[in-house]
């Protein structure tokens, strides 16, 4: 976090030198006249975050329903046919998200299995001919080229395609607009980059990228295509608002998980537990529908490929732990090794998070130096991975084949199996080569194989575990699309199997099941997921008898991990500086009110119900606020003071003000407009779309003297809180409702009392920003932590 703060300060200083600080400051706080060094004296912060691989200016999203006159008129005038059409289109888009995600996942699997498979077959042929050096050169060269393709695409064309993309999706669904995350270029680079990176044998999976790919597909469908080539059909424009786009991206993320693991219910629960901040029953049904479509597509292709029409993509190709053929037996004494696996998973998971945090800090420093350094880092990791994968199997002894096994099955001559000959004589096999000289999915299948109590030696498993711990730390963070699931599965399965060997004489649980439990425990210890993981493993193992011990392992691992540090995705969100609002406020937030926060903020900027054009232009140019309270003075209430009162009419958005200026909806005299005048110029769909910038608007000198009636465009029902409410309560409300602006009203209503005290935004409710503005809270925070 310290490195990111330095980066933000340097970026902010650079922006100030260029004279562009108006655009790069807090979008909700007017700090134009505040010197940079004095920023910590007021509650404001620079909305800069690392999105992809560069520091970007970020905004919040408008998830709130904007109940202005146009919106109300639109819903009153909609016929039943139009409402049904809108609902049908939602389901149609959910279907298309599932269909396209399933097709692209199949394409990625086909490409990876064939590219990596033919590469490994050629390497094995060289080894059979005792041409070991040529085998290494071929393997390292192929991996180098595949990594180069993936890295060049990410570095030069779509920096946001690097990494898993899940933290940014999580931030988006929390209300943070992460720029360039869901574009067409990002989608294409993510697909090709995933194929290259996974085929190159790097220690990463395609699960994280598939979640990002599903989200990109959903976003592009919802907005009618890429920004430059959008389809402007009237019925499709209904989905151009942030709320419907959020629902579609939630469907996309669950479809991505389903495509990775063939787990429809697990995909829905992953979206609910891990990425989505806001949920409702209608969304549950649509995400389930999307994942069901994905499963049908994957199953159809797998049936087609079984006949050998897909090259090397045959029975497998997708991660699959088939333990349905083994009888699961466990007794009361088996609870002890299962609990040990859970504790180990929690400790090792938190350790992995800790060291990965350190590595990512170092990588951030390297990545700041430019594109060439990013490429060199990725290629260095590729070469190191190739050396380890090829060289380490030479360190272990050849093991004789079991006499009871069929001659054709040992050593394995086909594409997959547990008995790779590698450098061994006939009748012997190399157990470490079985795990390393294989595609990632085959390695998972081999280490999870059942009824194989003697196939893997403890020494080989120790080397395998140590190697994947190192590779897991140094591979995540390089400039290629990467997922965290597969490295964690491989690490967890290795120590699970080692524990299974150690406990062999004392337990009846199969070693393959120990490996499954080890993988589940490490995932829970690192990612802190429980329910979704339990269902994913249940759907994959196809064995309900595993449910009790899997639940126990996951609960223990998560509980132990939570004692040490946050989940890996929370750590990445903090490193990137994305303003994610947590579900639980800090304890000290109950000791401070929103009124006190308003006191350390710059004064709120308000507009009159009928405002002069020149004043609107001035406000838009001199502030970076995205919402302005609309206040009418001299209003005579039905009951009360005859002298008139000041009325808070509502909240008008910057985007709507810019739209008014663009359409030149001006009045010659100061008056209220009629309903037909508004509907003649605007539709509710126009107001749902995001506006441009004030710099794009030209207003003549005569137009500056005209007026704008803001009443029809104002949200007359903004969410408000009383100034005496605690920050903790306000933050929970802000997050659960998915707000961008929250108005603070005075506790006392009387003549002469202004109707609005201030306005709160996402940046104002972040613990880090509050503590920097009110340093005295740090003392109480520290004393509470000490207790």
């Amino acid at each position: 976090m310290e490195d990111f703060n330095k980066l933000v300060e340097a970026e902010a200083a650079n922006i100030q030198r260029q004279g562009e600080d108006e655009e790069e400051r807090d979008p909700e706080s007017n700090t134009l006249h505040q010197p940079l060094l004095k920023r910590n004296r007021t509650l404001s912060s620079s909305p800069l975050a690392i999105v992809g691989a560069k520091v970007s200016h970020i905004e919040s999203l408008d998830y709130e329903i904007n109940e202005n006159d146009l919106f109300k008129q639109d819903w009153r005038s909609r016929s039943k046919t139009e409402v049904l059409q809108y609902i049908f289109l939602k389901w149609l888009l959910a279907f298309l998200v599932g269909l396209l995600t399933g097709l692209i996942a199949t394409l990625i699997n086909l490409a990876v299995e064939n590219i990596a498979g033919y590469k490994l077959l050629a390497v094995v042929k060289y080894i059979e001919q005792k041409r070991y050096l040529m085998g290494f050169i071929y393997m390292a060269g192929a991996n180098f080229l595949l990594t180069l393709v993936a890295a060049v695409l990410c570095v030069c064309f779509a920096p946001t395609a690097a990494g898993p993309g899940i933290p940014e999706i999580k931030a988006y669904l929390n209300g943070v607009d992460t720029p360039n995350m869901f574009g067409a270029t990002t989608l294409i680079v993510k697909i090709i980059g995933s194929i290259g990176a996974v085929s190159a044998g790097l220690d990463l999976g395609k699960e994280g990228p598939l979640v990002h790919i599903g989200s990109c597909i959903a976003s592009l469908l919802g907005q009618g295509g890429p920004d430059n080539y959008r389809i402007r059909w009237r019925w499709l424009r209904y989905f151009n608002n942030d709320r419907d786009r959020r629902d579609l991206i939630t469907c996309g993320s669950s479809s991505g998980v389903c495509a990775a693991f063939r787990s429809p219910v697990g995909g829905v629960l992953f979206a609910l537990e891990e990425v989505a901040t806001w949920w409702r029953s209608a969304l549950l049904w649509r995400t389930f529908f999307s994942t069901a479509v994905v499963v049908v597509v994957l199953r159809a292709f797998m049936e087609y490929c079984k006949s050998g029409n897909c090259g090397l993509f045959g029975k497998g190709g997708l991660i699959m732990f088939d333990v349905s053929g083994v009888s699961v037996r466990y007794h009361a004494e088996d609870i002890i090794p299962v609990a040990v696996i859970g504790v180990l998973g929690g400790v090792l998971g938190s350790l992995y998070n800790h060291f990965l945090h350190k590595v990512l800090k170092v990588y951030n420093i390297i990545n700041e130096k430019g594109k060439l350094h990013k490429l060199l880092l990725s290629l260095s990791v590729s070469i190191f991975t190739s050396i380890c994968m090829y060289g380490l199997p030479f360190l272990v002894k050849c093991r004789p084949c079991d006499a009871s096994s069929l001659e054709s099955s040992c050593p394995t001559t086909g594409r997959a199996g547990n008995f790779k000959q590698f450098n061994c004589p006939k009748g012997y096999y190399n157990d470490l080569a079985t795990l390393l000289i294989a595609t990632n999915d085959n390695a998972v299948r081999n280490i999870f194989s059942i009824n194989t109590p003697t196939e893997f030696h403890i020494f080989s498993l120790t080397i395998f575990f140590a190697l994947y711990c190192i590779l897991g730390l140094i591979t995540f963070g390089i400039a290629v699309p990467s997922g965290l699931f597969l490295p964690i599965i491989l690490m967890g399965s290795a120590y699970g199997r080692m524990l299974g060997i150690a406990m062999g004489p004392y337990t009846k649980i199969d070693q393959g099941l120990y490996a499954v439990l080890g993988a589940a425990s490490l995932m829970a210890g690192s990612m802190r997921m429980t329910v979704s993981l339990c269902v994913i493993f249940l759907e994959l193992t196809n064995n309900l008898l595993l449910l009790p011990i899997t639940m126990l392992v996951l609960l223990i691992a998560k509980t132990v991990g939570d004692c040490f540090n946050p989940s890996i995705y929370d750590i990445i969100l903090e490193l990137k500086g994305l303003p994610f609002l947590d579900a639980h406020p800090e304890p000290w937030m109950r000791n401070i009110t929103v009124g006190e926060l308003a006191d350390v903020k710059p004064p709120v900027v308000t507009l009159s119900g009928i405002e002069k054009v020149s004043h609107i232009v001035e406000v838009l140019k001199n502030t970076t606020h995205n919402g302005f309270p609309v206040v009418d003075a001299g209003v005579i209430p039905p009951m009360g003071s005859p002298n008139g009162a000041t009325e808070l009419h509502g909240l008008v958005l910057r985007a709507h003000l810019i739209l008014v200026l663009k359409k030149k909806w001006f009045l010659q005299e100061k008056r209220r407009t009629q309903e037909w005048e508004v509907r003649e110029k605007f539709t509710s769909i126009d107001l749902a779309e995001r506006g441009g910038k004030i710099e794009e608007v030209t207003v003549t000198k005569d137009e500056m003297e005209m007026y704008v009636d803001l009443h029809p465009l104002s949200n007359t029902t903004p969410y408000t809180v009383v100034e005496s409410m605690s920050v903790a309560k306000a933050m929970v409300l802000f997050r659960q409702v998915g707000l961008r602006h929250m108005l603070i009203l005075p506790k006392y209503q009387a003549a002469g009392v202004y109707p609005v005290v201030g306005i709160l935004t996402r940046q104002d409710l972040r613990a880090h920003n509050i503590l920097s503005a009110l340093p005295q809270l740090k003392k109480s925070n520290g004393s509470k932590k000490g207790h």
Side-chain angles (χ1 to χ4, degrees), residues 317-373:
L318 298 159
I319 290 179
M320 183 172 62
F321 324 127
D322 187 10
V323 296
S324 53
V326 66
S327 59
V328 180
R329 292 182 192 168
Y330 45 89
H331 303 286
E333 60 268 20
D334 293 326
I335 298 296
I336 296 170
V338 167
V340 169
I341 287 180
V343 173
L344 272 174
V347 172
L348 292 174
S350 56
L351 270 174
Y352 178 75
N353 291 1
H354 174 74
F355 286 117
L356 190 60
H357 186 200
K358 303 290 184 191
V359 171
L360 289 176
K361 279 186 171 183
V362 175
Y363 278 12
N364 276 347
I365 296 166
I366 295 170
N367 290 338
E368 281 175 42
K369 295 182 179 179
K371 293 180 179 179
L372 184 61
H373 286 80

Side-chain angles (χ1 to χ4, degrees), residues 80 185 193 246 260 299 309 403 434 548 551 721:
K80 280 188 178 179
T185 310
R246 170 184 63 183
R299 178 58 64 187
N309 297 320
T434 300
M551 288 171 68
V721 293

Side-chain angles (χ1 to χ4, degrees), residues 538-558:
L538 196 66
E539 288 181 289
L540 291 172
T541 53
N542 196 23
N543 201 320
L544 271 171
L545 292 171
L546 272 175
L547 182 61
I549 53 174
T550 306
M551 288 171 68
L552 181 65
V553 161
L554 292 172
L555 287 169
I556 292 172
K558 184 190 184 304

